[in-house]
Amino acid sequence: MILLLVLIVAGIAFLIFTFGTMWGFSRTGDGFYGRPDIYSENRTSYPGGGMYPGGGMYPGRGMYPGGYPSYNISDFESNGELIYYTGFNESGERIETEYGPHWLYVHGGSCVDCHRTDGRGGYPVMMGYTIPPDIRYETLTSDEHEEEEGHPPYTDETIKRAIREGIDSAGEPLDLTMPRWNMTDKDVNDVVEYLKTL
């Protein structure tokens, strides 16, 4: 009986360690229940993460032991790139969201977590069925976009509206898997400028 109890406790400890490491619970950063434990007003390091190849849920980081890498402000050439990769702006503020996947609230996240480093998306969001679209600027604004997606090509203004309000270029709501990012004008302009480089 004691052996069975020991095996059960060891099994639970193993599961907590394995899944905790895989899902980032063991990393430093935002603690459980949103309590910050390392972020200060003068932070220069941001938690990495990601849900797609090279960014989590697949070998590389995130869903596998090894934790999350940290980024430094100097790793990025612009505020838009910093936001795209980390969900933080150059002032060190985490950009708040509404809607989006639950893991975004728990662990934080950014555009790269769903749309990948190249902006092409294409893989279902963890614990969901939605496949994030290609958000490269040239794709969103091309005339072929209307034929493929069934709505007009995006403009800079409609891209900003999609990011902030979750409304597509035809005025229809995007799937609730797409977070509504509460960005300042400067931050959303910087993200659109960064999309032009993808």
Side-chain angles (χ1 to χ4, degrees):
M1 188 63 151
I2 293 175
L3 180 60
L4 180 60
L5 183 61
V6 169
L7 289 174
I8 290 172
V9 170
I12 291 171
F14 174 77
L15 290 174
I16 290 171
F17 172 78
T18 302
F19 290 108
T21 301
M22 288 167 60
W23 287 320
F25 297 148
S26 64
R27 70 179 171 90
T28 56
D30 280 341
F32 288 104
Y33 310 112
R35 293 177 303 187
D37 58 8
I38 64 163
Y39 298 134
S40 68
E41 291 181 22
N42 299 316
R43 90 175 64 91
T44 59
S45 180
Y46 300 88
M51 297 309 301
Y52 297 101
M57 194 147 167
Y58 297 103
R61 63 180 207 240
M63 290 293 289
Y64 289 89
Y68 290 80
S70 290
Y71 296 113
N72 291 309
I73 290 176
S74 60
D75 294 338
F76 304 98
E77 295 180 12
S78 68
N79 184 45
E81 183 181 21
L82 177 67
I83 293 167
Y84 188 87
Y85 275 85
T86 68
F88 288 84
N89 65 19
E90 62 193 359
S91 299
E93 299 165 341
R94 181 177 178 180
I95 300 179
E96 298 297 321
T97 62
E98 295 176 32
Y99 304 109
H102 180 69
W103 50 260
L104 188 66
Y105 297 106
V106 177
H107 301 291
S110 63
C111 312
V112 76
D113 294 323
C114 296
H115 299 285
R116 303 185 321 172
T117 57
D118 60 5
R120 293 176 189 259
Y123 292 96
V125 173
M126 183 173 102
M127 299 178 171
Y129 300 100
T130 302
I131 297 177
D134 185 336
I135 60 166
R136 292 173 298 154
Y137 188 83
E138 67 182 31
T139 303
L140 292 174
T141 58
S142 78
D143 290 332
E144 289 89 37
H145 186 80
E146 184 168 11
E147 296 168 15
E148 295 172 10
E149 300 293 327
H151 53 75
Y154 281 87
T155 64
D156 284 13
E157 292 308 310
T158 56
I159 293 171
K160 293 173 195 176
R161 182 177 69 181
I163 293 169
R164 289 172 147 173
E165 301 172 30
I167 305 293
D168 73 15
S169 61
E172 297 295 323
L174 294 170
D175 187 276
L176 292 179
T177 304
M178 169 63 183
R180 280 51 171 170
W181 297 89
N182 298 322
M183 291 188 189
T184 65
D185 289 340
K186 179 187 182 325
D187 286 345
V188 77
N189 288 334
D190 290 347
V191 169
V192 171
E193 288 304 310
Y194 179 68
L195 293 179
K196 294 176 181 180
T197 69
L198 296 178

